[in-house]
Amino acid sequence: MSRRKIVAGNWKMNLDRTQARELTAAVAARRGTAAAVELVLCPPALYVETVGTALAAAQSDIGLGGQNVHDKPNGAFTGEVSPPMLVDLGCRYVILGHSERRTLCGETDAVVNAKTKAALAAGLTPIVCVGETLAEREADRTAAVVTGQVQGSLAGLSAADLEKIVVAYEPVWAIGTGKVATPEQAQEVHALIRSQLAALSSAAVAAQVRIQYGGSVKPDNAADLAAQPDIDGALVGGASLKADDFLGIAKAFAG
Ligand code: PEP
């Protein structure tokens, strides 16, 4: 089963509008070197339109995504952004359940599950993040934690919806720390996630789902990760803020 690799940049709460426009133009202009890979940019919500406009101006096929979304389509939810609003601005993706939202904003698996269903209902592809903390890994709880997050975050999804999602395995201890999981550590958890997806639906569905690795991915460690059979791309934080680094990672996944 061949899954098209997908590399997404999570810009988090970084850059100003001019920088967002410039970074988009730089990535789009040099994207040709990694054409086999699907690329997605996830800017801060306020810059989604700016980035979408820059991508359109460059006639780029790079996808646009949000970093979070509410689980209701509209209503009295001050400060929130809904799935249809992201779609309205040209988004096709949304990152959900990032560890920063799980820890800093108290998002539980149930919250991630509701957002995942709402995103799918609006036609967005959710990039659903899971991953263990250092304490959990050291306590030998990685498999239990990741299994619980996969089952909880994806509960009740139909096979057709499961096929559409992307899962990102992001060990919390590797995010923004410079400590990347070894390719073997990552592969082991990716295989576990795929087996959990099979348990939720079927082996055939699980074989279609793309599973990204995230956590200090850089151009110089991406090729070893990309060589693993169950690693189908990367969710990139820090390195996505530099066009050369982001495209270097994309190139590694292009093979
Ligand atoms: C992330 O936050 O999703 C991430 C993977 O960050 P970094 O690449 O900076 O570790």
Side-chain angles (χ1 to χ4, degrees):
M1 159 93 243
S2 95
R3 295 176 290 269
R4 189 176 182 214
K5 302 284 198 297
I6 175 164
V7 174
N10 174 11
W11 292 0
K12 307 194 183 184
M13 197 173 70
N14 290 302
L15 308 179
D16 63 24
R17 201 148 55 102
T18 302
Q19 290 167 329
R21 201 179 288 123
E22 287 171 357
L23 179 56
T24 304
V27 172
R30 306 210 287 280
R31 184 256 194 290
T33 53
V37 176
E38 187 168 354
L39 293 188
V40 182
L41 301 181
C42 301
L46 277 179
Y47 300 157
V48 162
E49 187 164 19
T50 300
V51 171
T53 302
L55 288 172
Q59 296 185 310
S60 176
D61 68 342
I62 295 174
L64 186 60
Q67 297 176 10
N68 174 45
V69 82
H70 198 268
D71 68 358
K72 299 286 185 301
N74 58 269
F77 302 103
T78 302
E80 295 289 343
V81 169
S82 77
M85 290 172 183
L86 287 183
V87 171
D88 199 14
L89 292 188
C91 285
R92 287 189 277 131
Y93 296 87
V94 63
I95 299 169
L96 295 174
H98 189 280
S99 68
E100 285 151 18
R101 295 206 58 86
R102 288 179 184 266
T103 49
L104 302 174
C105 307
E107 289 194 6
T108 61
D109 289 329
V111 169
V112 178
N113 184 241
K115 291 184 174 193
T116 300
K117 288 174 177 163
L120 283 161
L124 291 165
T125 296
I127 299 176
V128 180
C129 304
V130 297
E132 81 287 0
T133 63
L134 184 59
E136 289 163 344
R137 175 162 282 268
E138 287 178 347
D140 246 346
R141 297 193 50 237
T142 299
V145 168
V146 171
T147 297
Q149 289 174 333
V150 169
Q151 289 178 349
S153 303
L154 305 180
L157 265 60
S158 67
D161 277 345
L162 271 176
E163 260 175 22
K164 291 180 200 148
I165 67 162
V166 174
V167 177
Y169 168 55
E170 298 208 305
V172 179
W173 48 272
I175 295 178
T177 59
K179 277 189 219 157
V180 64
T182 65
E184 295 74 25
Q185 282 174 324
Q187 167 58 28
E188 190 182 357
V189 181
H190 280 234
L192 169 77
I193 292 170
R194 204 172 299 287
S195 74
Q196 287 304 318
L197 293 169
L200 284 173
S201 53
S202 68
V205 167
Q208 313 243 18
V209 177
R210 293 176 295 175
I211 307 176
Q212 298 173 311
Y213 168 79
S216 297
V217 180
K218 307 278 182 259
D220 62 0
N221 59 29
D224 287 344
L225 291 160
Q228 299 299 316
D230 287 294
I231 300 184
D232 307 312
L235 180 54
V236 186
S240 71
L241 297 173
K242 292 197 176 121
D244 284 348
D245 287 354
F246 186 60
L247 290 169
I249 292 166
K251 210 169 168 185
F253 276 92

